Amino acid sequence: MKAIITGMNGTVAPVVADVLAKHDIETVAWDRTKVSTTDESAMRTFLETERPDYFLHIGMGSVSWTEALVRLCQEYKIPFFFTSTVSVFSDDVPAPIDKDAVPDATDEYGAYKIACEQAIQAINPQAKIVRIGWQIGTEAGSNNMVDYFTNEMKQHGVIRASRNWYPSSSVLEDTAEALVTILLEQEAGLYQLNGNDHYSMYDLARALNTLHAKNWTIEPVDKPRRDNRMATDVVLVRPLSERLPL
């Protein structure tokens, strides 16, 4: 079997590709230097050449690209899978955030993901959309929580971590496993992945400091006050309590 996957230069897609390989699913990266994201005839040719069994849209791009992809996949009867984000919600939405809550983000990234979700749902209700939280990797250098804390330490000589900020979060490898489980086993629809039951940014900073022997200096603070934890109706991702020394 074969899957086309976008975003292979990002944080999540390469790990998802590794998990797909365990299921004997070959992955073909959408290389934007070779395949256009604006020329629909080129997209069509790529799909007809590769003939994938699945299409995973994990990378960033224009809303019009997402619209074209989901429309073409529907035409060719290719199951379409999209990773969205907790960032479709502003800090004003009370936690735990139900998947039926109205996305209300106004920042560029959140608004982009909202527009993609709406376009996908309008074109193909049989698509799978999964909102994920802040990913916990192992090293700096990509868009994950360890990178964030590392940069805070470099810039300020101390990590000021709020005891009142509760992010939706999960370990990157666990997220990838859950995404593939949804792709292969779950019904079409909207899902939310969150492994953080009740841990603050201060708790997470301390746990990651211990786990990776980072020797960070961590100072507890009271702000910001945020609770971005998503509710999950199907528990598909391992809780952080099983993965971190919390």
Side-chain angles (χ1 to χ4, degrees), residues 120-198:
I120 293 165
Q121 291 168 330
I123 295 169
N124 183 7
Q126 294 305 306
K128 295 176 183 178
I129 299 172
V130 187
R131 294 172 181 152
I132 62 176
W134 203 341
Q135 296 306 294
I136 298 177
T138 57
E139 296 292 339
S142 65
N143 184 23
N144 74 82
M145 193 177 289
V146 172
D147 183 72
Y148 170 79
F149 287 136
T150 299
N151 288 332
E152 286 291 298
M153 189 68 194
K154 284 181 180 178
Q155 293 177 19
H156 307 294
V158 63
I159 296 170
R160 296 182 177 88
S162 176
R163 292 176 292 194
N164 297 302
W165 180 2
Y166 301 91
S168 273
S169 187
S170 52
V171 172
L172 178 56
E173 288 79 7
D174 296 339
T175 300
E177 292 280 357
L179 292 175
V180 172
T181 296
I182 294 171
L183 174 72
L184 300 180
E185 300 179 10
Q186 299 296 315
E187 305 250 341
L190 175 64
Y191 295 85
Q192 296 187 151
L193 296 182
N194 171 38
N196 183 19
D197 289 334
H198 59 274

Side-chain angles (χ1 to χ4, degrees), residues 39-86:
D39 183 345
E40 193 164 314
S41 64
M43 299 183 208
R44 185 181 295 276
T45 298
F46 185 51
L47 290 175
E48 291 177 350
T49 300
E50 295 297 339
R51 299 175 62 85
D53 299 283
Y54 304 101
F55 195 105
L56 291 85
H57 190 24
I58 301 177
M60 294 287 289
S62 68
V63 176
S64 60
W65 182 34
T66 299
E67 291 173 334
L69 290 176
V70 70
R71 188 171 61 251
L72 288 170
C73 285
Q74 185 179 44
E75 178 182 336
Y76 290 111
K77 296 180 170 54
I78 303 166
F80 189 84
F81 185 96
F82 179 73
T83 54
S84 189
T85 172
V86 65

Side-chain angles (χ1 to χ4, degrees), residues 191-210:
Y191 295 85
Q192 296 187 151
L193 296 182
N194 171 38
N196 183 19
D197 289 334
H198 59 274
Y199 300 107
S200 69
M201 285 293 282
Y202 177 65
D203 297 326
L204 296 176
R206 292 182 66 196
L208 291 170
N209 189 35
T210 299

